[in-house]
């Protein structure tokens, strides 16, 4: 019964369906994504991509239940056809959003940005349905990112004060890790006291891609 994971997934989407129905049913102003036509268009264009990955996640479970590899295309034919439709749907939504933005008088930049985003998402989904091709496409950028991070880490280790901490951390992590954590916490506290808590947004934004890279590296290894 390969459709059971998809039935469970559809049931989990029920609160979002109720929210969308109530959002369209009740009149009056609705602050949020509809305040900006460009943001509303980008959200609409990205919905097929979210559904594409949702089907892929459910397909992993359904394929495993059927004794097939989880990373293959969904075994259940309706799910496979629905997933295949997401790429052209994203492209069509992008064209419709571009036309709507042009009619209401949005700037050329907004129209082009929505169109480019929709076509890019459509291309990503088209490539993702071919595991060998997607792996080949991602191999080179992944190597470039890894080399860039390693080059950046090498440059950081050569800095006068911070570099010494990182070199010691690499040589003796058991001894240096607590000191690095304490100094990092004290440095963030000093930044918050001098510039306010809003200044912590900058270190957080810098740390986000580093943490993402670390997670991807650990998963790849």
């Amino acid at each position: 019964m390969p459709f059971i994971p998809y039935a469970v997934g559809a049931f989990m989407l029920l609160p979002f369906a109720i929210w969308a129905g109530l959002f369209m049913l009740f009149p009056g102003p609705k602050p949020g994504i509809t305040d900006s036509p460009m943001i509303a268009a980008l959200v609409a264009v990205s919905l097929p991509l979210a559904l594409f990955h949702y089907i892929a996640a459910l397909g992993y479970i359904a394929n495993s239940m059927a004794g097939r590899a989880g990373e293959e295309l969904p075994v259940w034919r309706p799910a496979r056809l629905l997933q295949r439709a997401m790429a052209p749907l994203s492209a069509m939504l992008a064209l419709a959003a571009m036309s709507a933005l042009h009619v209401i008088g949005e700037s050329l930049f907004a129209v082009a940005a929505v169109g480019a985003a929709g076509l890019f998402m459509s291309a990503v989904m088209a490539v993702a349905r071919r595991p060998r091709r997607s792996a080949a496409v991602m191999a080179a950028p992944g190597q470039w990112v890894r080399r860039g991070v390693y080059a950046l880490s090498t440059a950081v280790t050569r800095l006068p004060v911070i570099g010494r901490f990182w070199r010691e951390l690499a040589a003796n992590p058991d001894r240096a890790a607590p000191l690095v954590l304490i100094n990092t916490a004290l440095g963030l506290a000093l930044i918050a006291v001098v510039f306010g808590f809003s200044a912590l947004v900058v270190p957080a934004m810098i740390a986000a891609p580093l943490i993402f890279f670390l997670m991807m590296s650990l998963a790849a290894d």
Side-chain angles (χ1 to χ4, degrees), residues 22-194:
L22 294 176
F23 185 87
M24 294 183 290
L25 180 64
F26 286 95
K30 302 180 180 70
I33 61 174
T34 56
D35 294 342
S36 172
M38 180 179 177
I39 299 300
L42 288 173
V43 171
V45 169
S46 63
L47 287 179
L49 181 62
L51 185 56
F52 180 92
H53 287 288
Y54 193 63
I55 296 173
L58 296 175
Y60 195 98
I61 301 174
N63 287 4
S64 300
M65 292 174 60
R68 300 283 296 274
E71 61 272 12
E72 294 181 0
L73 295 178
V75 175
W76 196 43
R77 189 168 183 270
R80 188 168 62 252
L81 295 177
L82 182 61
Q83 189 187 49
R84 182 185 300 171
M86 292 300 103
L89 177 60
S90 181
M92 290 187 291
L93 286 176
L95 295 176
M98 291 174 65
S99 300
L101 292 176
H102 178 70
V103 169
I104 64 177
E106 288 292 322
S107 65
L108 181 61
F109 171 78
V111 175
V114 171
L119 295 178
F120 177 75
M121 294 178 192
S122 180
V124 167
M125 286 184 280
V127 173
R129 284 184 55 84
R130 298 171 174 83
R132 293 182 180 177
R133 183 178 299 180
S134 62
V137 170
M138 293 302 296
Q143 292 178 358
W144 297 340
V145 171
R146 177 167 294 200
R147 291 175 183 174
V149 171
Y150 287 159
L152 179 61
S153 62
T154 301
V156 170
T157 57
R158 296 178 180 177
L159 294 176
V161 178
I162 301 177
R164 182 174 181 179
F165 282 106
W166 286 109
R167 289 195 301 270
E168 188 173 356
L169 181 62
N172 191 355
D174 294 334
R175 175 177 176 275
L179 297 177
V180 171
L181 292 176
I182 292 174
N183 281 279
T184 301
L186 292 176
L188 293 176
L190 180 62
I191 292 175
V193 171
V194 175

